[in-house]
Amino acid sequence: MLVQERQPAAVDDVPDNGDHERGCVIARSLDRYTTNVPREDVTGGKEWLVHSFDGYALAPDHEGPARLLIAHLYFWKSAKCVAGLRLTTDNEPGPWERVGYHDHGDPWREQRYQGDR
């Protein structure tokens, strides 16, 4: 199915309601997987919200309807099969963070596990 309309390609393209107090983005997948990402890590062109390839909608078996790609963080922060993004004031750790993975996940600082600086 050819995608005719323009869809957001980045969090920067999503309409801003002016509420900048909400500093955390929660990405939710179709399978209820979530991941928390600071807003500054998904704005300013630092991420992609991939929804199509070669003009066709991204199929569920290829991680559609959308894939969040945050190349500068470890990939557990890049949710697959994204069904929605939510801005929040609270940091809501996802399943990987709840079992000990780092909340931020910066590979250049080797932030793999909670307690890594």
Side-chain angles (χ1 to χ4, degrees), residues 46-106:
K46 296 179 196 146
E47 56 66 50
W48 298 278
L49 190 58
V50 181
H51 56 79
S52 62
F53 177 75
D54 203 20
Y56 292 90
L58 205 56
D61 57 337
H62 291 288
E63 302 167 355
R67 169 78 191 250
L68 183 63
L69 181 59
I70 310 169
H72 69 281
L73 297 179
Y74 280 118
F75 274 162
W76 74 82
K77 293 299 191 177
S78 295
K80 305 177 210 177
C81 304
V82 173
L85 300 173
R86 181 170 49 92
L87 293 174
T88 181
T89 55
D90 300 322
N91 179 22
E92 299 173 16
W96 287 111
E97 295 83 11
R98 288 193 302 266
V99 296
Y101 282 75
H102 201 278
D103 269 347
H104 190 234
D106 184 337

